[in-house]
Amino acid sequence: MSAMTLNSLGNLDSAQNRLDEARQHYEEALKILRQLVRQNPEKYLLDLALALSDLGKVDKSQNRLEEARQHVEEALENFRQLMQENPDKYLPYVARTLSNLGVLDVDQNRAEDARQHYEEALKILRPLAQQNPDAYLPYVARTLNNLGTLEKDQHGREEEARQHYEEALKIRRQLTNQDPEMYLPYLANTLNGLGVLDSDQNRMEEARQHYEEALKIRRLLAQQNPETYLADVAQTLNNLGVLDSDQNRMEEARQHYEEALKIRRQLGQQNPETYLVDVAQTLNNLGNLDKAQNRIEEARSHYRQAISVYQELSKGNPNRYAADIAGILFVLANLEQNDTDK
């Protein structure tokens, strides 16, 4: 079987979430392509770089992050080599790979590496988007959004985050006007991220506007494709609940948390490894709300349920959620102490 056929099979496996099969096909393709590159690099180096990039995506999906880094960095090295010979053709490959490497950096908590990779990608993409906006503006928006997400969690970079988010939002509104089916999900992602930043900066009414617009879009998307978008609906509902609570709008907070919890329980039954942690988060938020409203028995119930979920998730890795469990136990102990003092 040829390397191209094996790589195509890997792509098909990956699209069907058959990641182990995809890995086998990509690795077999790589073995063949490495031999071909030694014989004829000019003909096969691009195919090798693409196969490495594809395998890096599978690595990341399987949380094999160091392997992903090795494969993506080797792909980037190959694309840079090709770019030297033909910049017009291969600059876009370099930019996309830099952006992918930035996402991987974030997953590995390498924030400054991520910044460098995103900024280099953006420097390449802006001129490309001026020449061909239809092809490259979406990638500019994606990289701006990634930079905003990175910066909003870095103390002192909040205004840079806002600039990047707002530029991404402007582009994504423009793209959504042209093709709503394609770009509405991305618009909602930027609105939600900007809402988080607004909330962090105590710009509460702006946060509400951004969250509510994101929620409206995500509800629409979830009606059409619940399997893909219900988790996003729950995320924004949970964020709105936090905002409501911060603004002392307690009954609205409860409604938002309870709807988020209902969705997250449903998702947690279908895919516990991915979604149970979100169930625990919302249970903990509800416990905090109960406590603030002096609904002590409900608070205890929600906190204990959250602990139970975290303990279930910690099987095989006791330290994974130890800090979360310890924090909730501390709050429960204070509740018990307050009862004793009465």
Side-chain angles (χ1 to χ4, degrees):
M1 196 177 296
S2 73
M4 297 303 100
T5 302
L6 287 163
N7 204 70
S8 296
L9 283 170
N11 291 339
L12 181 61
D13 293 328
S14 185
Q16 296 179 325
N17 206 35
R18 299 168 54 171
L19 299 182
D20 289 333
E21 292 93 331
R23 176 176 301 282
Q24 290 174 8
H25 286 128
Y26 286 142
E27 288 179 346
E28 192 174 347
L30 274 178
K31 186 176 180 180
I32 296 169
L33 285 167
R34 290 191 192 283
Q35 294 174 345
L36 292 171
V37 165
R38 283 194 288 270
Q39 299 165 13
N40 190 342
E42 186 175 336
K43 183 175 181 179
Y44 293 108
L45 191 58
L46 174 60
D47 295 325
L48 176 62
L50 291 170
L52 285 162
S53 185
D54 290 336
L55 183 53
K57 292 173 187 175
V58 171
D59 293 328
K60 185 177 180 301
S61 297
Q62 294 187 307
N63 205 36
R64 297 167 68 158
L65 299 185
E66 278 309 311
E67 290 171 82
R69 179 168 299 280
Q70 291 170 15
H71 290 131
V72 175
E73 286 181 345
E74 186 181 351
L76 180 61
E77 183 181 346
N78 291 336
F79 285 133
R80 287 194 192 278
Q81 182 178 334
L82 290 162
M83 184 187 71
Q84 289 176 352
E85 300 164 8
N86 190 338
D88 290 343
K89 182 174 181 180
Y90 294 111
L91 263 174
Y93 292 98
V94 171
R96 284 196 289 268
T97 308
L98 284 164
S99 188
N100 291 339
L101 195 51
V103 174
L104 184 60
D105 292 327
V106 170
D107 289 343
Q108 293 188 290
N109 204 31
R110 298 168 63 158
E112 286 313 307
D113 289 338
R115 176 180 305 286
Q116 291 173 17
H117 288 131
Y118 288 148
E119 288 179 346
E120 186 182 352
L122 193 59
K123 186 177 179 180
I124 295 169
L125 288 165
R126 285 194 189 278
L128 291 172
Q130 288 177 344
Q131 298 165 12
N132 189 343
D134 290 345
Y136 296 111
L137 261 183
Y139 294 105
V140 171
R142 175 194 178 207
T143 307
L144 287 164
N145 193 80
N146 288 346
L147 268 168
T149 301
L150 175 69
E151 290 159 344
K152 78 176 168 56
D153 295 326
Q154 292 185 301
H155 181 68
R157 292 191 179 270
E158 292 86 356
E159 285 310 311
E160 291 172 79
R162 181 168 299 281
Q163 289 171 15
H164 287 131
Y165 270 140
E166 288 181 347
E167 187 180 355
L169 184 63
K170 183 179 179 180
I171 294 169
R172 285 179 163 175
R173 286 196 190 282
Q174 175 185 337
L175 292 169
T176 299
N177 287 336
Q178 297 167 3
D179 189 347
E181 187 174 345
M182 172 67 72
Y183 293 110
L184 265 176
Y186 300 106
L187 176 60
N189 288 348
T190 302
L191 287 163
N192 189 76
L194 195 48
V196 174
L197 178 63
D198 293 328
S199 186
D200 289 344
Q201 292 189 296
N202 207 34
R203 297 166 69 156
M204 299 305 194
E205 287 312 310
E206 290 171 82
R208 183 169 300 281
Q209 290 171 15
H210 288 132
Y211 284 147
E212 287 181 347
E213 186 179 356
L215 183 60
K216 183 178 179 181
I217 293 168
R218 286 175 162 181
R219 286 194 191 280
L220 176 66
L221 293 168
Q223 287 175 352
Q224 300 164 358
N225 187 344
E227 187 174 334
T228 300
Y229 295 112
L230 262 180
D232 294 332
V233 172
Q235 180 194 51
T236 304
L237 285 165
N238 190 77
N239 290 347
L240 267 169
V242 174
L243 179 65
D244 294 329
S245 186
D246 289 342
Q247 292 189 294
N248 205 34
R249 297 166 68 158
M250 299 306 199
E251 287 312 311
E252 289 172 82
R254 185 169 300 280
Q255 290 172 14
H256 286 132
Y257 283 145
E258 287 181 347
E259 186 180 355
L261 182 61
K262 182 178 179 182
I263 294 169
R264 286 177 162 180
R265 285 194 192 279
Q266 175 186 335
L267 294 169
Q269 289 176 344
Q270 298 165 2
N271 187 343
E273 187 174 336
T274 300
Y275 294 114
L276 272 183
V277 66
D278 296 327
V279 173
Q281 179 198 54
T282 305
L283 285 165
N284 187 58
N285 288 344
L286 268 168
N288 293 339
L289 179 65
D290 296 328
K291 182 164 72 74
Q293 292 187 294
N294 205 34
R295 297 165 68 157
I296 303 303
E297 285 309 311
E298 290 171 82
R300 285 195 183 101
S301 174
H302 285 129
Y303 284 140
R304 287 168 180 159
Q305 289 178 64
I307 288 172
S308 177
V309 174
Y310 280 129
Q311 288 173 334
E312 178 67 25
L313 289 167
S314 297
K315 288 180 179 177
N317 187 355
N319 295 325
R320 187 176 182 187
Y321 295 105
D324 299 284
I325 293 169
I328 299 172
L329 286 170
F330 180 77
V331 175
L332 278 171
N334 284 340
L335 289 179
E336 299 299 333
Q337 184 63 46
N338 290 340
D339 275 357
T340 302
D341 292 342
K342 287 179 182 177

